[in-house]
Amino acid sequence: MWNKIEGAPRETIEEIQLRRLKETLERVYELTPFYKEKFDELDISPKGIKSLKDIEKLPFTKKQDLRNHYPFGLFTVPMSEVVRVHSSSGTTGKPTVVGYTQGDMDVWDEVMARVYTMAGATGADVIHNAYGYGLFTGGLGFDGGAKKIGATTIPASSGFTDRQIMLMKDFNATIMAATPSFALHMYESAKKSGSGYLKDFKLKSGVFGAEPTSDGLKEEVSRVWGIDYHEVYGLSEIIGPGVSSNCKHSKLLHVNEDHFYPEIIDHKTGKVLEDGERGELVITSLTKQALPIIRYRTGDITSLHRSPCSCGRTLVRMESIVGRVDDMIVVNGVNVYPSQVEHVIANTEGVTLNYQIIADKKGHLDKIDILVEVSDEVLSDSVAEMEKIKKDIQRSLANNLYINANVKLVEPRTLERSMGKAIRVVDKRV
C-alpha cells in the first residue's frame, strides 16, 4: 500500500470521514452563497450533521449547477490561492470549470500514487503516459502521481500512434497509462512491424480509464500486451482520475474514501440504496479546498461493496461503471451530450434540428458520424454551399466539444422517428 490509511480499521476511516465532512460543510456554508441558500431552504445547518448517515439530509449538486456559476462562482478561495484550473468541453465557450489549490494538488498526487502502487509501480518504473495533456484532467493527473512515487514519466500525450510506439519501446516503458481503446490501437499498429518487434517491449502493467470498457476489452488489452490490467475511475468535478482503482486481487475498485465519500442512489427518487444494489454514484469531496462539492450526482451507474479484499485494504469498493443515467456518450475518452451537438447545429444556417449521432468503432478506436437534415431551401443550392455547411459544423464540433466527427448532410425528413421523436443516438459499439 502507498498509505497505511488504505488498510485502517473501518472505525478509523469513518471517524476521519465525519470530521472532514463537518469541516467541508462549514466551509461551503460560510464561503459559497449557492450552498448557503440550498441549506437554508431545507432548514439544514452544518452543525446539525452529527453522523455520516445525516449526509442523506443534504441537497444534491448537479453538473448544471457548476455551469450556472461559471467560471469561479463555486470556488471557496480567492484566485490568488488557485494554482491550476481544468475544464470540460462546452458549446458556448463556457465549459464546466474546476480549480485546485496547492493542497488540492497534493491530494490529487496522493490518490494517484495509490493508483500506481495498486498497479505495481514504484520509483524504478518508466511510465508511458498517453492521456491527453491540457484542459482535461487525464494527462496531468497521471503525471502528478508518477512524480509522487518517483517514477520516470514519458509525457507522450494522445495521438501520434507510431511515435508513441517508438517511444514506449526505445525508452523501455514498464507501465502504460492510456484509454483501453488507444492501447489496443497502439498494439495493432505495433503488430505491423512483426511479432519479434513486440517482444522488445518491457511493459508489465497498465492503468486504463476515461471510457466505459467491457470485461472482454479489458482481457484483450491484457492479453495482447502481456500485462496486468488496472482500472482507474475519476471525474474532473471531484478531482480527476484517482477517485478509485483496482488492485491485482479483484476487479472491484477501491474508493479513496478518506477523500471522497460515495453513495449509491435511485436516480429517479434520490433514495440511498443498500450496498450491492446498482444505482447512480453520488460523491462528496471531503478535502477539496478550491471547489468542495456536496453530494455530486455523477450520472454513472455502479454499486458499492464492503466485503474484505485479500490485498488488506479496508476501503469500500465499487464495481466498474456499467452505464449512464443520462444520454451522454463517451467518444475516445471525451464526454459528448446530444444537447451539446444540438446547440452546434442550432447555430448553423441551412440545416434543421433533426439529427442523429452514430457512434461506432474503427478498429479499436471510436468514430462518430453525425447525420443532419438540411432545410428544404438548401436542396437547390450548390455543392460548394453544402460542403461549407458540413465543414462549418465539423469545425464547431472540434472547437467546442473537442471531437472529430464525420458530418453527413441528408435530405429533410429522412431520419427515422420513434413515436414522433427523432432517435438522437445510435451506439453501435454496444
Coordinates of all heavy atoms in Angstrom, one line a residue, residues 58-110:
L58 N -28.6 16.2 3.1 CA -28.1 17.3 2.3 C -28.5 17.3 0.9 O -28.9 16.3 0.3 CB -26.5 17.2 2.4 CG -25.9 17.3 3.8 CD1 -24.4 17.0 3.7 CD2 -26.1 18.6 4.4
P59 N -28.6 18.5 0.2 CA -29.0 18.6 -1.1 C -28.0 18.0 -2.1 O -26.8 18.0 -1.8 CB -29.2 20.1 -1.3 CG -28.2 20.7 -0.4 CD -28.2 19.8 0.8
F60 N -28.4 17.7 -3.3 CA -27.6 17.2 -4.3 C -27.0 18.4 -5.1 O -27.5 19.5 -5.1 CB -28.3 16.3 -5.3 CG -28.8 15.0 -4.7 CD1 -30.1 14.7 -4.6 CD2 -27.9 14.0 -4.3 CE1 -30.6 13.5 -4.1 CE2 -28.3 12.8 -3.8 CZ -29.7 12.6 -3.7
T61 N -25.8 18.1 -5.7 CA -25.2 19.1 -6.7 C -25.2 18.4 -8.0 O -24.9 17.2 -8.1 CB -23.8 19.5 -6.2 OG1 -23.8 19.9 -4.9 CG2 -23.2 20.5 -7.1
K62 N -25.5 19.2 -9.1 CA -25.5 18.6 -10.4 C -24.6 19.4 -11.3 O -24.2 20.5 -11.0 CB -26.9 18.7 -11.0 CG -28.0 17.9 -10.2 CD -29.3 18.0 -10.9 CE -30.4 17.2 -10.1 NZ -31.7 17.3 -10.7
K63 N -24.2 18.8 -12.4 CA -23.3 19.5 -13.4 C -23.8 20.9 -13.8 O -23.0 21.8 -13.9 CB -23.1 18.6 -14.6 CG -22.1 19.2 -15.6 CD -22.0 18.3 -16.9 CE -21.1 17.1 -16.6 NZ -19.6 17.5 -16.5
Q64 N -25.1 21.0 -14.0 CA -25.7 22.3 -14.4 C -25.4 23.4 -13.4 O -25.3 24.5 -13.7 CB -27.2 22.1 -14.6 CG -27.8 23.3 -15.3 CD -27.1 23.7 -16.7 OE1 -26.9 22.8 -17.5 NE2 -26.8 24.9 -16.9
D65 N -25.3 23.0 -12.1 CA -25.0 24.0 -11.0 C -23.6 24.6 -11.3 O -23.5 25.8 -11.0 CB -25.1 23.3 -9.6 CG -26.5 22.8 -9.3 OD1 -27.4 23.5 -9.6 OD2 -26.6 21.8 -8.6
L66 N -22.7 23.8 -11.7 CA -21.3 24.3 -12.0 C -21.4 25.2 -13.2 O -20.8 26.3 -13.2 CB -20.3 23.2 -12.2 CG -19.7 22.6 -11.0 CD1 -20.7 21.7 -10.3 CD2 -18.5 21.7 -11.4
R67 N -22.2 24.8 -14.2 CA -22.3 25.7 -15.4 C -23.0 27.0 -15.1 O -22.7 28.1 -15.6 CB -23.1 24.9 -16.5 CG -22.3 23.8 -17.1 CD -22.9 23.3 -18.4 NE -22.1 22.3 -19.0 CZ -22.5 21.0 -19.2 NH1 -23.7 20.6 -18.8 NH2 -21.7 20.2 -19.8
N68 N -24.0 26.9 -14.2 CA -24.7 28.1 -13.8 C -23.9 29.2 -13.1 O -24.2 30.3 -13.0 CB -25.9 27.8 -12.9 CG -27.0 27.1 -13.7 OD1 -27.0 27.1 -14.9 ND2 -27.9 26.4 -13.0
H69 N -22.8 28.7 -12.5 CA -21.9 29.6 -11.7 C -20.5 29.7 -12.4 O -19.5 30.0 -11.7 CB -21.7 29.0 -10.3 CG -23.0 29.1 -9.5 ND1 -24.0 28.1 -9.6 CD2 -23.5 30.0 -8.6 CE1 -25.0 28.4 -8.8 NE2 -24.7 29.6 -8.2
Y70 N -20.5 29.5 -13.7 CA -19.3 29.7 -14.5 C -18.7 31.1 -14.3 O -19.5 32.1 -14.3 CB -19.6 29.5 -16.0 CG -18.5 29.8 -16.9 CD1 -17.6 28.8 -17.3 CD2 -18.4 31.1 -17.5 CE1 -16.5 29.1 -18.2 CE2 -17.3 31.4 -18.4 CZ -16.4 30.4 -18.7 OH -15.4 30.7 -19.6
P71 N -17.4 31.3 -14.2 CA -16.4 30.2 -14.2 C -16.0 29.8 -12.8 O -15.8 28.7 -12.5 CB -15.2 30.8 -14.9 CG -15.3 32.3 -14.6 CD -16.7 32.6 -14.5
F72 N -16.0 30.8 -11.8 CA -15.5 30.5 -10.5 C -16.5 30.7 -9.4 O -16.1 30.9 -8.2 CB -14.2 31.4 -10.3 CG -13.2 31.4 -11.4 CD1 -12.8 32.6 -11.9 CD2 -12.8 30.2 -12.0 CE1 -11.9 32.7 -13.0 CE2 -11.9 30.3 -13.0 CZ -11.4 31.5 -13.5
G73 N -17.8 30.7 -9.7 CA -18.8 31.1 -8.7 C -18.9 30.1 -7.5 O -19.4 30.5 -6.5
L74 N -18.4 28.9 -7.6 CA -18.5 28.0 -6.5 C -17.1 27.8 -5.8 O -17.0 27.0 -4.9 CB -19.0 26.6 -7.0 CG -20.4 26.6 -7.6 CD1 -20.8 25.1 -8.0 CD2 -21.4 27.1 -6.6
F75 N -16.1 28.5 -6.2 CA -14.8 28.5 -5.6 C -14.9 29.0 -4.1 O -15.7 30.0 -3.9 CB -13.8 29.2 -6.3 CG -13.3 28.6 -7.6 CD1 -14.0 27.5 -8.2 CD2 -12.1 29.0 -8.2 CE1 -13.6 26.9 -9.3 CE2 -11.7 28.4 -9.4 CZ -12.4 27.3 -9.9
T76 N -14.2 28.5 -3.2 CA -14.2 28.9 -1.8 C -12.9 29.6 -1.4 O -12.7 29.9 -0.3 CB -14.5 27.8 -0.9 OG1 -13.5 26.8 -1.0 CG2 -15.9 27.1 -1.1
V77 N -12.0 29.8 -2.4 CA -10.8 30.5 -2.2 C -10.6 31.6 -3.2 O -11.1 31.5 -4.3 CB -9.6 29.6 -2.2 CG1 -9.7 28.5 -1.1 CG2 -9.4 28.9 -3.6
P78 N -9.8 32.7 -2.9 CA -9.5 33.7 -3.9 C -8.6 33.1 -5.0 O -7.9 32.1 -4.8 CB -8.8 34.8 -3.1 CG -8.2 34.1 -1.9 CD -9.2 33.0 -1.6
M79 N -8.7 33.7 -6.2 CA -7.9 33.2 -7.3 C -6.4 33.2 -7.0 O -5.6 32.4 -7.6 CB -8.2 34.0 -8.6 CG -9.5 33.7 -9.1 SD -9.8 31.9 -9.5 CE -8.6 31.6 -10.8
S80 N -6.0 34.0 -6.0 CA -4.5 34.1 -5.7 C -4.1 32.7 -5.1 O -2.9 32.4 -5.0 CB -4.3 35.2 -4.7 OG -5.1 35.1 -3.5
E81 N -5.0 31.9 -4.6 CA -4.7 30.6 -4.0 C -4.9 29.5 -4.9 O -4.6 28.3 -4.6 CB -5.5 30.4 -2.7 CG -5.2 31.4 -1.6 CD -6.0 31.1 -0.3 OE1 -6.4 30.0 -0.1 OE2 -6.3 32.1 0.4
V82 N -5.5 29.8 -6.1 CA -5.7 28.7 -7.1 C -4.5 28.6 -8.0 O -4.1 29.5 -8.6 CB -7.0 29.1 -8.0 CG1 -7.1 28.0 -9.1 CG2 -8.2 29.1 -7.1
V83 N -3.9 27.4 -8.0 CA -2.7 27.1 -8.8 C -3.0 26.4 -10.1 O -2.1 26.3 -10.9 CB -1.7 26.3 -7.9 CG1 -1.3 27.1 -6.7 CG2 -2.2 24.9 -7.6
R84 N -4.2 25.9 -10.3 CA -4.5 25.2 -11.5 C -6.0 25.2 -11.8 O -6.8 25.1 -10.8 CB -4.0 23.7 -11.4 CG -4.4 22.8 -12.5 CD -3.5 22.8 -13.7 NE -2.2 22.3 -13.3 CZ -1.9 21.0 -13.1 NH1 -2.8 20.0 -13.3 NH2 -0.6 20.6 -12.8
V85 N -6.3 25.3 -13.0 CA -7.7 25.2 -13.4 C -7.8 24.1 -14.6 O -6.9 24.1 -15.4 CB -8.4 26.5 -13.9 CG1 -8.6 27.4 -12.7 CG2 -7.7 27.1 -15.0
H86 N -8.8 23.3 -14.6 CA -9.1 22.4 -15.7 C -10.6 22.7 -16.1 O -11.4 23.3 -15.3 CB -9.0 21.0 -15.2 CG -7.5 20.5 -15.2 ND1 -6.8 20.2 -16.3 CD2 -6.7 20.3 -14.1 CE1 -5.6 19.8 -16.0 NE2 -5.5 19.9 -14.7
S87 N -11.0 22.2 -17.2 CA -12.3 22.4 -17.7 C -12.8 21.2 -18.6 O -11.9 20.6 -19.2 CB -12.5 23.7 -18.4 OG -11.9 23.7 -19.6
S88 N -14.1 21.0 -18.6 CA -14.6 20.1 -19.6 C -15.0 20.8 -20.8 O -14.9 22.0 -20.9 CB -15.8 19.4 -18.9 OG -16.9 20.4 -18.7
S89 N -15.5 20.0 -21.8 CA -15.9 20.7 -23.1 C -17.2 21.4 -22.9 O -18.0 21.2 -22.0 CB -16.1 19.6 -24.1 OG -17.1 18.7 -23.7
G90 N -17.4 22.4 -23.8 CA -18.6 23.2 -23.7 C -19.0 23.7 -25.1 O -18.1 23.7 -26.0
T91 N -20.2 24.2 -25.3 CA -20.7 24.5 -26.7 C -20.7 26.0 -26.9 O -20.8 26.5 -28.0 CB -22.1 24.0 -27.0 OG1 -23.0 24.5 -26.0 CG2 -22.1 22.5 -26.9
T92 N -20.6 26.8 -25.8 CA -20.7 28.3 -26.0 C -19.5 29.0 -25.5 O -19.5 30.2 -25.2 CB -21.9 28.8 -25.2 OG1 -21.7 28.5 -23.8 CG2 -23.2 28.1 -25.6
G93 N -18.4 28.2 -25.3 CA -17.2 28.8 -24.8 C -17.2 28.9 -23.2 O -16.3 29.5 -22.6
K94 N -18.3 28.3 -22.6 CA -18.4 28.3 -21.2 C -18.5 26.9 -20.6 O -19.6 26.4 -20.4 CB -19.6 29.2 -20.8 CG -19.5 30.6 -21.1 CD -20.7 31.4 -20.6 CE -20.5 32.9 -20.8 NZ -21.6 33.7 -20.3
P95 N -17.4 26.2 -20.5 CA -17.4 24.9 -20.0 C -17.5 24.8 -18.5 O -17.5 25.8 -17.8 CB -16.0 24.4 -20.5 CG -15.1 25.6 -20.4 CD -16.0 26.7 -20.8
T96 N -17.6 23.6 -18.0 CA -17.5 23.3 -16.6 C -16.1 23.5 -16.1 O -15.2 22.9 -16.7 CB -18.0 21.9 -16.2 OG1 -19.3 21.7 -16.6 CG2 -17.9 21.6 -14.7
V97 N -15.9 24.4 -15.1 CA -14.5 24.8 -14.7 C -14.3 24.3 -13.3 O -15.1 24.4 -12.4 CB -14.3 26.3 -14.7 CG1 -12.9 26.7 -14.3 CG2 -14.5 26.8 -16.2
V98 N -13.1 23.7 -13.0 CA -12.7 23.2 -11.7 C -11.4 23.9 -11.3 O -10.6 24.1 -12.2 CB -12.7 21.7 -11.6 CG1 -14.0 21.1 -11.8 CG2 -11.7 21.1 -12.6
G99 N -11.2 24.1 -10.1 CA -9.9 24.7 -9.6 C -9.3 23.9 -8.5 O -9.9 23.1 -7.8
Y100 N -8.0 24.2 -8.4 CA -7.2 23.4 -7.4 C -6.2 24.4 -6.6 O -5.5 25.2 -7.3 CB -6.3 22.4 -8.1 CG -7.0 21.4 -8.9 CD1 -7.5 21.7 -10.2 CD2 -7.2 20.1 -8.5 CE1 -8.2 20.8 -10.9 CE2 -7.9 19.1 -9.2 CZ -8.4 19.5 -10.5 OH -9.1 18.6 -11.2
T101 N -6.2 24.3 -5.3 CA -5.2 24.9 -4.5 C -4.0 24.0 -4.5 O -4.0 22.9 -5.0 CB -5.6 25.2 -3.1 OG1 -5.8 23.9 -2.5 CG2 -6.9 26.0 -3.0
Q102 N -2.9 24.4 -3.9 CA -1.7 23.6 -3.8 C -2.1 22.4 -3.0 O -1.6 21.2 -3.2 CB -0.5 24.3 -3.2 CG 0.8 23.5 -3.2 CD 1.1 22.9 -4.6 OE1 1.3 23.7 -5.5 NE2 1.3 21.6 -4.7
G103 N -2.9 22.6 -1.9 CA -3.4 21.5 -1.1 C -4.1 20.4 -1.9 O -4.0 19.2 -1.7
D104 N -5.0 20.9 -2.8 CA -5.8 20.0 -3.7 C -4.8 19.2 -4.6 O -5.1 18.0 -4.9 CB -6.7 20.8 -4.6 CG -7.8 21.5 -3.8 OD1 -8.2 21.0 -2.7 OD2 -8.3 22.6 -4.2
M105 N -3.8 19.9 -5.1 CA -2.8 19.2 -6.0 C -2.1 18.1 -5.2 O -1.9 17.0 -5.8 CB -1.8 20.2 -6.5 CG -2.4 21.3 -7.5 SD -3.2 20.6 -8.9 CE -1.9 19.8 -9.8
D106 N -1.8 18.4 -4.0 CA -1.1 17.4 -3.1 C -2.0 16.2 -2.9 O -1.5 15.0 -3.0 CB -0.7 18.0 -1.8 CG 0.3 19.1 -1.9 OD1 1.0 19.1 -2.9 OD2 0.5 19.9 -1.0
V107 N -3.3 16.4 -2.7 CA -4.3 15.3 -2.6 C -4.4 14.5 -3.8 O -4.4 13.3 -3.8 CB -5.7 15.8 -2.1 CG1 -6.7 14.7 -2.3 CG2 -5.6 16.4 -0.7
W108 N -4.4 15.2 -5.0 CA -4.5 14.5 -6.3 C -3.3 13.7 -6.5 O -3.4 12.5 -6.9 CB -4.6 15.6 -7.4 CG -5.2 15.1 -8.7 CD1 -5.6 13.8 -9.0 CD2 -5.3 15.9 -9.9 NE1 -6.0 13.8 -10.3 CE2 -5.8 15.0 -10.9 CE3 -5.0 17.2 -10.2 CZ2 -6.1 15.4 -12.2 CZ3 -5.3 17.6 -11.5 CH2 -5.8 16.7 -12.5
D109 N -2.1 14.2 -6.2 CA -0.9 13.4 -6.4 C -0.9 12.2 -5.4 O -0.5 11.1 -5.8 CB 0.3 14.2 -6.1 CG 0.6 15.3 -7.1 OD1 0.0 15.3 -8.2 OD2 1.4 16.2 -6.8
E110 N -1.4 12.4 -4.2 CA -1.5 11.3 -3.2 C -2.4 10.2 -3.7 O -2.0 9.0 -3.7 CB -2.1 11.9 -1.9 CG -2.6 10.8 -0.9 CD -1.6 9.9 -0.3 OE1 -0.4 10.3 -0.3 OE2 -2.0 8.8 0.1

